[in-house]
Amino acid sequence: MSERRFESLLAALPDTDAFFQGGTDELPDVMAEWFPGREPSIVADENTWLAAGEKVHDAFVAAGARVATPFRFPGTKVLEPEYRHVETLRNAWRSNDTIPVAVGAGTINDLVKRAAFESSRPYVVVATAASMDGITSFGAALVRNGLKQTMSCPAPRMVLADVSVIKNAPPAMTAAGYADLASELTAGADWLLADAAGAEPIHEKSWAMIQPHLEQWLTTPGRLAAGDETAYRELFDGLCMNGFAMQCMQSSRPASGAEHLFSHVWEMEHLQREGMPVSHGFKVAIGTLIATAVYEEVLGAGVTRFDPEQAVRHREPWEARAERVKAAYRGSPLIEPILAICAEKYGSDAALRARVERINEAWPVLCERLSGQIVPFRALRSLFIEAGVPVEPGQISLDLRRVRDTFNRAHMIRTRYTVLDFLYDTGLFEPVADAVCSPGAYFSE
Ligand SMILES: [Zn+2]
């Protein structure tokens, strides 16, 4: 029988009301109770149709329920999260009041999330893999007019997780989910830094949903390879919890720091391996290892104080900074918004001085908290290997020169304060980036 979980937690969230763990064949009963008289409209691609879509559809038919003709996007090539698919779904739902049922975890969920919002109705997701943390987050990552953007829309009203389906997803998808969850280690460290610098305070409730449980979720990835259902349940719970934390503060801060900035840059560059886009989780994996290496460099240097006056004196003038930004994004249609972001981050000398002073004040305690937050590089690398996650840039078609270049580009694309801003504020950006990218230091190629 389906188990209803996280009830008290979900009662306090804006979007998601119910989380069921059980068989997909129980969905008709659950939906009849939650959405009486509403017909389901199943959306899948060919892969997720085989994984669970057909089973869900047959369950409705067997229950004698009316069910709209399912949408099946092609699955032979990777389904791109293009906005035109949202329009297709919205048009199909214009003259009915069906409840969309997204069968999938990534692209299908994002398309349905936005299309349901534009069609003024809630939707349900049946997860087919523990591959990323966007399942329960608000907002959908979609490509519109050639640009990838997060379009705002509520998270699913109801989530159904069938562990027997999730367990049978391709191992690389599970590994990607593991890496996306592990990224909370460095995302959390960045948040501690941002809090100390006065840039963004810790949101205690969101923090408590993820950070105290991370170790348990991440400790033994070998259990996933061994097919241990509890391990899959914990991984999926962890990823959903990330989404809930993001819902809770209406921001991706709890789940995204510098490691995600690296991944966003490679996404904008359409990073591919063997003709296929590299998964979000695998890009985040290398980003997480890079950010971990950065923290090791910073914490290992034994610095006890940063000089605010020197920080101001040594910072490049804005004109030089702007030139650097233009050079890094030459020819990109995003140059103007990126310049605006960098101008905002550059701010005044007084603001820089104040940030460095605040960091100095917090530094002794902060150092200890950061050391406890980060899993040491070698240990994290071992966990990743055990989980089937890439640990070398070469495994996702990158080399160290490109990683070094990404340090600059990643630092420019968001106003969110991360360890990259800390490096820039304290004059450590270039030496630390060079040290991390030195062949053999952390990565071999
Ligand atoms: Zn992510």
Side-chain angles (χ1 to χ4, degrees):
M1 197 50 202
S2 278
E3 183 195 349
R4 203 173 153 198
R5 306 179 61 211
F6 309 129
E7 276 180 85
S8 56
L9 173 98
L10 298 182
L13 291 184
D15 300 339
T16 307
D17 288 333
F19 183 107
F20 288 95
Q21 196 149 49
T24 45
D25 50 349
E26 292 172 41
L27 191 60
D29 283 349
V30 170
M31 281 191 66
E33 190 186 322
W34 278 76
F35 308 103
R38 306 278 292 269
E39 205 173 299
S41 174
I42 297 166
V43 184
D45 66 23
E46 282 167 7
N47 299 322
T48 65
W49 177 259
L50 290 177
E54 190 172 20
K55 239 170 99 183
V56 169
H57 178 259
D58 292 352
F60 280 106
V61 174
R66 283 180 309 133
V67 52
T69 310
F71 276 91
R72 286 161 64 180
F73 289 100
T76 42
K77 276 175 50 183
V78 173
L79 178 66
E80 296 290 341
E82 286 174 32
Y83 184 71
R84 64 188 169 91
H85 299 316
V86 170
E87 291 172 314
T88 304
L89 293 171
R90 192 187 60 208
N91 287 338
W93 297 332
R94 196 164 34 198
S95 56
N96 64 46
D97 70 345
T98 53
I99 299 294
V101 177
V103 180
T107 302
I108 288 287
N109 184 43
D110 274 347
L111 294 174
V112 174
K113 199 187 284 188
R114 177 71 189 187
F117 165 69
E118 291 189 11
S119 308
S120 313
R121 63 194 71 194
Y123 85 99
V124 174
V125 63
V126 176
T128 52
S131 56
M132 45 97 85
D133 64 14
I135 299 162
T136 51
S137 68
F138 75 97
L142 298 166
V143 180
R144 194 179 192 184
N145 303 325
L147 293 181
K148 184 87 174 252
Q149 50 198 292
T150 301
M151 298 183 77
S152 85
C153 45
R157 176 74 60 83
M158 187 196 286
V159 180
L160 182 95
D162 183 339
V163 178
S164 70
V165 172
I166 291 169
K167 208 178 95 171
N168 284 317
M173 293 185 84
T174 305
Y178 181 88
D180 209 16
L181 191 57
S183 74
E184 309 314 317
L185 296 165
T186 49
D190 282 2
W191 204 356
L192 291 173
L193 263 183
D195 182 60
E200 193 171 355
I202 299 278
H203 184 288
E204 295 297 344
K205 222 164 127 187
S206 291
W207 180 272
M209 285 185 204
I210 304 172
Q211 295 296 340
H213 314 288
L214 262 185
E215 202 182 313
Q216 190 199 331
W217 288 332
L218 296 171
T219 34
T220 47
R223 288 189 299 147
L224 293 167
D228 176 352
E229 288 212 352
T230 309
Y232 278 86
R233 196 170 294 130
E234 283 177 1
L235 173 60
F236 190 75
D237 281 358
L239 292 168
C240 286
M241 220 38 108
N242 275 356
F244 296 150
M246 290 190 263
Q247 275 187 47
C248 182
M249 66 176 289
Q250 297 282 295
S251 157
S252 60
R253 167 58 97 173
S256 164
E259 74 297 319
H260 271 77
L261 298 181
F262 278 85
S263 109
H264 292 328
V265 168
W266 297 325
E267 190 153 314
M268 288 197 285
E269 294 170 355
H270 305 290
L271 186 66
Q272 293 198 343
R273 178 145 183 92
E274 289 160 2
M276 298 284 276
V278 176
S279 68
H280 172 74
F282 281 9
K283 284 179 287 212
V284 166
I286 298 300
T288 302
L289 287 168
I290 293 168
T292 300
V294 167
Y295 276 106
E296 283 204 4
E297 287 293 319
V298 169
L299 296 170
V303 180
T304 52
R305 188 179 174 277
F306 304 96
D307 184 345
E309 295 314 318
Q310 198 174 324
V312 169
R313 258 196 325 273
H314 285 188
R315 180 162 77 154
E316 61 197 337
W318 167 247
E319 293 70 26
R321 177 73 185 150
E323 284 311 312
R324 205 125 72 110
V325 175
K326 283 183 202 161
Y329 281 94
R330 200 182 308 284
S332 163
L334 298 172
I335 186 76
E336 286 309 318
I338 288 176
L339 265 174
I341 286 165
C342 291
E344 189 184 330
K345 289 215 288 193
Y346 189 88
S348 67
D349 287 349
L352 169 60
R353 201 176 284 118
R355 278 198 302 278
V356 176
E357 277 166 0
R358 286 190 62 135
I359 287 169
N360 277 334
E361 244 169 72
W363 194 242
V365 176
L366 181 60
C367 272
E368 258 179 55
R369 282 200 81 180
L370 290 172
S371 303
Q373 175 70 26
I374 294 300
V375 170
F377 185 88
R378 291 289 146 195
L380 186 62
R381 192 177 184 277
S382 300
L383 286 173
F384 277 11
I385 290 171
E386 203 183 335
V389 170
V391 294
E392 290 287 345
Q395 289 175 280
I396 59 165
S397 303
L398 294 166
D399 56 30
L400 279 176
R401 232 183 41 187
R402 193 157 159 199
V403 168
R404 178 64 184 86
D405 184 50
T406 310
F407 266 85
N408 294 321
R409 289 163 69 87
H411 179 216
M412 295 168 180
I413 53 173
R414 293 278 192 285
T415 50
R416 172 168 302 159
Y417 197 90
T418 71
V419 72
L420 297 177
D421 298 295
F422 165 83
L423 294 180
Y424 191 72
D425 279 353
T426 53
L428 293 171
F429 195 97
E430 303 297 329
V432 167
D434 287 344
V436 169
C437 296
S438 153
Y442 295 92
F443 304 104
S444 63
E445 38 199 304

